[in-house]
Amino acid sequence: MKEIICPNCKKAFKIDEAGYAEILKQVRDNDFEKQLHERLEIAEREKQSAIELAKEKTSNELQQKSAEKDAEIQRLNTQIEANEVSQKLAITEAISSIEKERDELKNNLEKSNLEKELAEKSLKDKYETQIKDRDDAIERLRDMKARLSTKMVGETLEQHCETEFNRIRATAFPNAYFEKDNDASSGSKGDYVFRDIDSSDIEIVSIMFEMKNESDTTATKKKNEDFFKELDKDRTEKNCEYAILVSLLEPESELYNTGIVDVFHRYPKMYVVRPQFFLPIITLLRNAALKSIEYKKELALVKEQNIDITNFEDDLEKFKSGFARNFDLASRKFKTAIDEIDKSIDHLQKTKDALLGTDRNLRLANDKAQDVTIKKLTRRNPTMAAKFEDIESDD
């Protein structure tokens, strides 16, 4: 708060910062206008006085000093121009800051509008490009189907998939099998079978493929789901893990046009894909299967040995943990004994106790080790018990 004294009544009153600033602004504005007006009046009076003086001198000395008169008039004109420039400069300085702020606001507004227009244009161009690409793809598809006979449509799709796979087989799937399914012993067969194995001949993933397409001129239009049941049957009979329908049927379907669609709710481990997702779905399923290959290797090893090792490993782990616990306890007590010996002879009694404790724990550990027998380890493991009995019988 600021304290103000009235110049008339000499009474003091307080005013806040905003009011004080407003009063200062008014005073400054009035003072500026007053000074400007006074300077203009002074300049005008000086101008009139100079002109009258010049006229008077010119009248008195017109014949004798014509050259001096011209010089004086020129000097006075220069002074007048200087006064006018000074006035204009004062006015210009007074409004320059406001004009500068106005220009900055205008430029910021124009910049924001330009950025908004560019963003809108970029977004519009992006969607227009996507729509155009999709329309072009549909048009190419329709053109391809229009030029093919009904008989050749399905064969062309199969050839496309086989060519695409063979193009990357050597680098991406060197151990994979991808061939026509020619086994019709069960009454039906799929189009292609894919199997991939690792260096140990363990199967990574297997897929039964069916390729379906039809031209726009086909009288009876089929749906994708018309082939699900037969495809699942082929997958089961050919012992494949997954079933995939590569389809160009239902070209207007928003569901299938997304690319990769699982139909697990109808049949287990079954997908429907468009041709452009033929290789990606193989890669995805293969990479997912690689994560579990170690479990498959362990399972294969167990099946090969035909040994139920669950209970055997539990007993062995219990023995190992018990022995390790007693050994650790003995080791710590033995270290305590050594530390006590190093400190002083006075701690011999503690050393003796620690050594006795160590001896007891070692004895317990040895007793446990001696107590481990084949009978105990195979007590809950009928498979191991039978094998040891076979060995004893052979002996």
Side-chain angles (χ1 to χ4, degrees), residues 189-248:
K189 61 185 182 68
D191 286 332
Y192 283 86
V193 173
F194 171 87
R195 297 185 190 277
D196 196 9
I197 60 175
D198 68 359
S199 57
S200 303
D201 291 334
I202 296 178
E203 183 176 284
I204 300 174
V205 65
S206 57
I207 306 171
M208 170 62 69
F209 279 99
E210 184 77 16
M211 284 74 170
K212 289 299 176 184
N213 192 5
E214 61 187 359
S215 69
D216 293 331
T217 59
T218 305
T220 303
K221 299 295 182 182
K222 295 286 188 178
K223 293 185 177 181
N224 289 316
E225 62 183 27
D226 296 337
F227 302 95
F228 290 170
K229 183 177 180 180
E230 192 69 21
L231 178 57
D232 184 66
K233 176 184 175 185
D234 293 336
R235 178 187 72 85
T236 304
E237 291 178 349
K238 303 303 166 59
N239 196 27
C240 292
E241 185 176 0
Y242 294 95
I244 296 178
L245 176 64
V246 182
S247 170
L248 282 171

Side-chain angles (χ1 to χ4, degrees), residues 1 26 28 47 57 76 84 105 112 120 127 146 162 209 217 248 264 276 294 302 311 313 327 337 357 365:
M1 300 295 289
Q26 293 177 9
R28 288 172 180 170
K47 176 183 175 181
K57 289 183 178 181
L76 293 174
E84 291 177 352
L105 292 174
S112 298
E120 291 176 351
Y127 284 114
E162 186 171 356
F209 279 99
T217 59
L248 282 171
F264 293 2
Q276 61 267 35
E294 293 299 327
V302 172
N311 294 329
E313 288 183 342
F327 180 82

Side-chain angles (χ1 to χ4, degrees), residues 326 329-330 333 352-367:
N326 288 111
L329 182 60
K333 287 186 175 295
K352 179 181 178 181
D353 295 338
L355 288 172
L356 290 175
T358 300
D359 180 70
R360 285 195 298 273
N361 283 285
L362 287 172
R363 187 169 59 255
L364 289 173
N366 182 65
D367 292 343

